[in-house]
Amino acid sequence: NLSMIFGFQPTENFNLYGGGVYQTVKGTLNLRGAAASVFNGYDASFDETGGVGWLAGAAFQIPEIALKISATYRSEIDHDVTTNETLTTQAALPLLANAGLDVSGAAQVLAQGNTKTSLKTPQSVNLDMQTGIMADTLAFANVRWVNWKDFKIRPEKFGAVSELVGPLVGQPNGFNIIEYSDDQISATVGVGRKLSEKWSGTFAIGWDSGAGERVSSLGPTEGYWNVGLGAQFSPTPATFIAGGVKYFMLGDAKAQISSQFGTENYLADFEDNDALAIGLKMGYKF
């Protein structure tokens, strides 16, 4: 993502800002194993492509007590991605025809070369808050909403086969490679403290709702809790180096394949998982 943000400050206490966003996406996908059924052996590569969106927001601040509250909206972004799909299912079309299925439409799509996959990366809203609570100490919080419920990926050849076999698994309109049943909400709260003229530190706790009770086997977690520590070193007033570590307690999840979406069925149970993340950031202020 590349954002170009412009701001206007009508008074000392208010800021308005907005601008354009340029976003690129690309990816690869390989489905293997008996659980993939007729899609066992499916490969897809999604060429890098760009799309344009926008963001807008407002902030209120009282500098004397380090209070700042801001809300930022980021739009969804449309992408039409050139996709190279390979399916071993094509050789099975005569068998499906012998079973009484009309395979003519799917055969025409599978005979094509590269296809186009249309998708929209989700819109989101961020709420950020901070305030001074004592000398050299800030409390901060962030709440984020992401509209994952409307995110879907159905490449053309995958979709043609899913519509062909969908009625056999209770999905008369076919199914998507990936989609979510719920929007995602996450929150972080913490404190930051200035330790010296050059050093400061932070401590934070975070929570994430996940995006549904049944999850995709491509992302088998149902939200998480995390705890993090960070530090920042500012060798000069204009430069800084910041680093941190977070420990994630990943939510237990029941994972589905695409054809099971919208049902209580699942193929795998993921429990008692965790993750560790580290980050490093360098900056120059002017």
Side-chain angles (χ1 to χ4, degrees):
N1 288 284
L2 179 64
S3 302
M4 187 71 77
I5 305 171
F6 301 89
F8 171 63
Q9 188 171 8
T11 72
E12 181 186 27
N13 302 111
F14 288 96
N15 289 78
L16 302 173
Y17 53 90
V21 178
Y22 177 72
Q23 180 186 74
T24 63
V25 297
K26 67 177 180 178
T28 58
L29 177 64
N30 312 102
L31 299 181
R32 298 293 185 272
S37 185
V38 296
F39 293 102
N40 185 10
Y42 173 83
D43 295 318
S45 62
F46 304 87
D47 291 350
E48 185 170 350
T49 187
V52 176
W54 57 276
L55 63 82
F60 171 75
Q61 58 205 12
I62 302 177
E64 294 80 7
I65 59 172
L67 173 69
K68 184 174 182 179
I69 302 171
S70 65
T72 307
Y73 171 81
R74 182 182 289 262
S75 73
E76 63 183 20
I77 298 178
D78 293 319
H79 294 275
D80 287 314
V81 187
T82 300
T83 309
N84 182 8
E85 300 177 78
T86 304
L87 288 93
T88 55
T89 308
Q90 192 160 0
L93 289 183
L95 297 176
L96 295 174
N98 291 337
L101 297 177
D102 181 5
V103 301
S104 57
Q108 289 179 7
V109 174
L110 294 179
Q112 298 177 21
N114 288 348
T115 58
K116 286 286 188 181
T117 300
S118 295
L119 61 92
K120 295 180 180 181
T121 54
Q123 60 183 339
S124 62
V125 174
N126 270 34
L127 298 177
D128 292 282
M129 296 154 277
Q130 72 169 47
T131 185
I133 54 175
M134 64 177 71
D136 296 328
T137 305
L138 286 174
F140 60 86
N142 166 267
V143 179
R144 176 173 169 82
W145 167 82
V146 185
N147 185 207
W148 283 113
K149 187 166 62 174
D150 292 336
F151 178 79
K152 299 174 177 63
I153 299 179
R154 186 186 291 199
E156 210 169 325
K157 294 183 180 181
F158 181 97
V161 175
S162 77
E163 290 166 12
L164 180 63
V165 302
L168 304 177
V169 292
Q171 303 276 21
N173 299 317
F175 43 86
N176 302 307
I177 276 183
I178 191 167
E179 62 181 304
Y180 301 97
S181 60
D182 295 327
D183 292 336
Q184 176 194 33
I185 299 173
S186 58
T188 300
V189 295
V191 293
R193 181 167 177 81
K194 181 179 178 181
L195 305 173
S196 69
E197 288 304 313
K198 294 185 177 181
W199 284 96
S200 60
T202 61
F203 170 77
I205 296 173
W207 168 83
D208 188 291
S209 69
E213 185 178 352
R214 296 287 185 269
V215 303
S216 166
S217 57
L218 302 177
T221 69
E222 189 183 347
Y224 56 78
W225 286 88
N226 70 55
V227 59
L229 289 172
Q232 179 170 306
F233 173 63
S234 302
T236 72
T239 58
F240 68 88
I241 302 172
V245 60
K246 274 189 177 182
Y247 172 69
F248 293 82
M249 293 154 280
L250 303 177
D252 296 346
K254 292 178 170 57
Q256 302 176 315
I257 55 174
S258 303
S259 59
Q260 295 173 325
F261 183 81
T263 74
E264 293 298 310
N265 301 321
Y266 60 93
L267 61 84
D269 225 339
F270 291 81
E271 296 181 346
D272 301 325
N273 292 300
D274 55 16
L276 193 66
I278 58 174
L280 180 66
K281 181 179 181 180
M282 294 177 283
Y284 176 78
K285 301 182 224 178
F286 57 91

